[in-house]
Amino acid sequence: MENAGKKSSGLFGWYFNTNLLVRILIALVVGALAGIIFQEKIVWVQPLGQIFIRLLFMIMVPVIFSTLVVGAASVSPKQLGKVGVRVMLIYVLTSFVAVGTGLLAGGIFKPRVDLKGIADFGEYAGKASEAPPLSQTFLNIIPTNIVDFVARQQLLGIIFFTICFGTAIAMLRETGNERTKNAAETVFNFFDGCAEIIIKMVKGIMEYAPIGVFALIAHVFATAGARVVGGLAMVVVTSFSAYLFYIVVWYLLICVKMIGGLSIGRFVMGAKEAFITGFVTRSSAASLPVTMQCAEKMGLPRDVYSFAIPLGANINMDGTAIYQGAAVMFMTYSVWGQGLTASQMVIVLIMSTLATIGTAGVPGGGALMLLMVLTQLGLPVEAGTAAAAAYAMILGIDALLDMGRTGINVVGDLVYLSVLTKRMGTLDMAKWR
């Protein structure tokens, strides 16, 4: 930890010593201005943006594989009892509610930008009707050849196999056979190391994000002009309206008050530090110590929150799920010119829920997982297409959207655990008086 506060020096020290959020926001503004002012003279920067998109695609499958294996393998079968099963079910099922909230907000506000002239729409004409049948989507969850699924980026199958693989490791780590236990521990340590390396790579790629955002946004504004500003503002309005609705109605009124019978005021006072930390750092993982400290102050049983909060940092991503729903609606309205059919919404619900399970708890992780949702929906982000232009705009304001969704991700663990332990009679009610 002695290097935690050490600053970079050298030629680019000013760049790395500036907060990433500030850099991305500056890149967004400067890129927009450069595109409007220089117009076609600035389109030469587009490859710099394509590099960023290719880096994200490069890391997508490794992120899913490594983090999901470790997440599933970290849950001890002994803990998957009365509390563990309930916690996991709550985390997964409420993600459906969150995605639905994002889709609903997208359907109400209909955020979109006019992409005519930015990219060739020929490839996407009528694409909305080409999504696979729902029955086939469910069948595709089970891979017939995992190597082939990885090569073709069939992400539902990859996620299914990875969860099964991680669960098997968790079971073998608890076996009485010493040889099998040691072998499972070795495999777990390998993937744990891979996860740390991959997360480090994600952080490195995000250091390039300001350059990529500048290039992508500059190209968009050079070809589309200022007409996209209103659409981006509407994305922010859509997302934060959904965030606010989810916090007030779902978290506080329904979960805390109606289901838990707890004081809203006491909960807000107990959870505010965790929410603020998540909002500012934009990292569920970085917020873990503060979240667990809040859980202690709120009277949650230590044996419950020590297991459930780290698990929640990996699979309980309500804010990210809301973002996925709203962002997908923006993409489809902008590229297809229409929203989603009922079957496509079900695909997004399933895919976004699974995607949030695999989201790394680092800044910008939600934007990375959006790629896999779009790919499964039949809207791949490929260089030079309208989808790439729309995704570049989302990416340009992602830092702002990420603050809200991470705050929700962090506080959601405290909401569900407070309600669950209250109903089980294990919550220390003396801390709520």
Side-chain angles (χ1 to χ4, degrees), residues 36-51:
I36 293 172
I37 295 172
F38 297 104
Q39 297 182 2
E40 293 191 3
K41 295 179 181 178
I42 198 71
V43 295
W44 63 268
V45 302
Q46 186 184 18
L48 297 178
Q50 293 174 352
I51 288 174

Side-chain angles (χ1 to χ4, degrees), residues 160-408:
F160 179 83
F161 175 84
T162 304
I163 292 176
C164 292
F165 189 81
T167 302
I169 293 175
M171 297 176 67
L172 291 177
R173 292 176 72 196
E174 300 292 327
T175 187
N177 186 304
E178 196 65 26
R179 185 191 67 82
T180 303
K181 183 177 181 179
N182 290 337
E185 200 67 39
T186 299
V187 175
F188 173 81
N189 289 333
F190 170 77
F191 279 101
D192 190 30
C194 288
E196 291 296 327
I197 294 169
I198 293 300
I199 289 175
K200 184 68 174 178
M201 291 177 66
V202 170
K203 291 179 179 178
I205 291 172
M206 292 309 295
E207 290 294 337
Y208 180 76
I211 300 172
V213 167
F214 167 81
L216 291 168
I217 292 298
H219 182 264
V220 167
F221 274 82
T223 54
R227 71 175 188 266
V228 300
V229 174
L232 291 180
M234 188 55 68
V235 175
V236 175
V237 170
T238 300
S239 298
F240 275 86
S241 296
Y243 294 159
L244 183 61
F245 175 85
Y246 199 80
I247 290 175
V248 174
V249 176
W250 177 250
Y251 276 169
L252 298 181
L253 294 180
I254 296 179
C255 292
V256 174
K257 189 66 177 179
M258 294 176 60
I259 300 178
L262 297 168
S263 167
I264 292 178
R266 291 290 184 184
F267 176 83
V268 171
M269 292 302 295
K272 65 179 182 180
E273 292 181 4
F275 177 83
I276 293 173
T277 303
F279 191 89
V280 172
T281 64
R282 300 167 49 234
S283 171
S284 300
S287 305
L288 270 176
V290 178
T291 308
M292 296 180 80
Q293 184 180 33
C294 289
E296 181 73 25
K297 292 179 180 179
M298 294 168 69
L300 273 68
R302 182 170 297 179
D303 60 337
V304 173
Y305 76 69
S306 63
F307 149 71
I309 288 180
L311 177 65
N314 284 282
I315 70 172
N316 183 37
M317 300 282 187
D318 286 356
T320 303
I322 294 171
Y323 160 81
Q324 302 286 340
V328 164
M329 294 297 281
F330 166 77
M331 293 288 295
T332 57
Y333 275 119
S334 298
V335 178
W336 290 339
Q338 64 186 64
L340 299 172
T341 64
S343 62
Q344 288 170 337
M345 284 190 180
V346 173
I347 293 173
V348 173
L349 281 169
I350 296 171
M351 203 61 203
S352 296
T353 300
L354 293 175
T356 57
I357 296 174
T359 300
V362 296
L368 177 63
M369 289 301 133
L370 177 61
L371 287 175
M372 71 181 263
V373 177
L374 295 172
T375 299
Q376 188 64 35
L377 191 61
L379 189 59
V381 177
E382 298 171 354
T385 63
Y391 182 75
M393 294 181 221
I394 280 284
L395 203 59
I397 59 172
D398 182 68
L400 181 60
L401 303 179
D402 195 13
M403 296 173 76
R405 68 177 181 250
T406 304
I408 292 179

Side-chain angles (χ1 to χ4, degrees), residues 30-229:
V30 174
L33 291 175
I36 293 172
I37 295 172
F38 297 104
Q39 297 182 2
E40 293 191 3
K41 295 179 181 178
I42 198 71
V43 295
W44 63 268
V45 302
Q46 186 184 18
L48 297 178
Q50 293 174 352
I51 288 174
F52 185 47
I53 291 179
R54 292 177 73 92
L55 287 172
L56 291 176
F57 268 110
M58 176 188 74
I59 207 73
M60 182 171 61
V61 171
V63 164
I64 295 170
F65 215 99
S66 60
T67 56
L68 269 183
V69 166
V70 173
S74 298
V75 182
S76 169
K78 294 179 180 179
Q79 293 176 307
L80 287 178
K82 187 176 180 180
V83 175
V85 171
R86 291 184 182 184
V87 167
M88 294 187 71
L89 284 176
I90 288 172
Y91 284 170
V92 173
L93 292 177
T94 52
S95 291
F96 280 94
V97 179
V99 178
T101 301
L103 290 173
L104 177 63
I108 293 174
F109 290 98
K110 294 180 173 59
R112 62 182 297 169
V113 293
D114 183 5
L115 295 175
K116 291 180 180 178
I118 297 179
D120 180 13
F121 277 77
E123 179 183 352
Y124 292 96
K127 190 75 173 182
S129 63
E130 296 176 16
L134 187 58
S135 59
Q136 188 61 44
T137 299
F138 279 108
L139 287 175
N140 286 341
I141 293 177
I142 304 175
T144 54
N145 183 332
I146 187 58
V147 176
D148 178 58
F149 268 50
V150 170
R152 293 189 292 114
Q153 293 190 342
Q154 297 294 305
L155 300 173
L156 279 173
I158 295 173
I159 291 174
F160 179 83
F161 175 84
T162 304
I163 292 176
C164 292
F165 189 81
T167 302
I169 293 175
M171 297 176 67
L172 291 177
R173 292 176 72 196
E174 300 292 327
T175 187
N177 186 304
E178 196 65 26
R179 185 191 67 82
T180 303
K181 183 177 181 179
N182 290 337
E185 200 67 39
T186 299
V187 175
F188 173 81
N189 289 333
F190 170 77
F191 279 101
D192 190 30
C194 288
E196 291 296 327
I197 294 169
I198 293 300
I199 289 175
K200 184 68 174 178
M201 291 177 66
V202 170
K203 291 179 179 178
I205 291 172
M206 292 309 295
E207 290 294 337
Y208 180 76
I211 300 172
V213 167
F214 167 81
L216 291 168
I217 292 298
H219 182 264
V220 167
F221 274 82
T223 54
R227 71 175 188 266
V228 300
V229 174

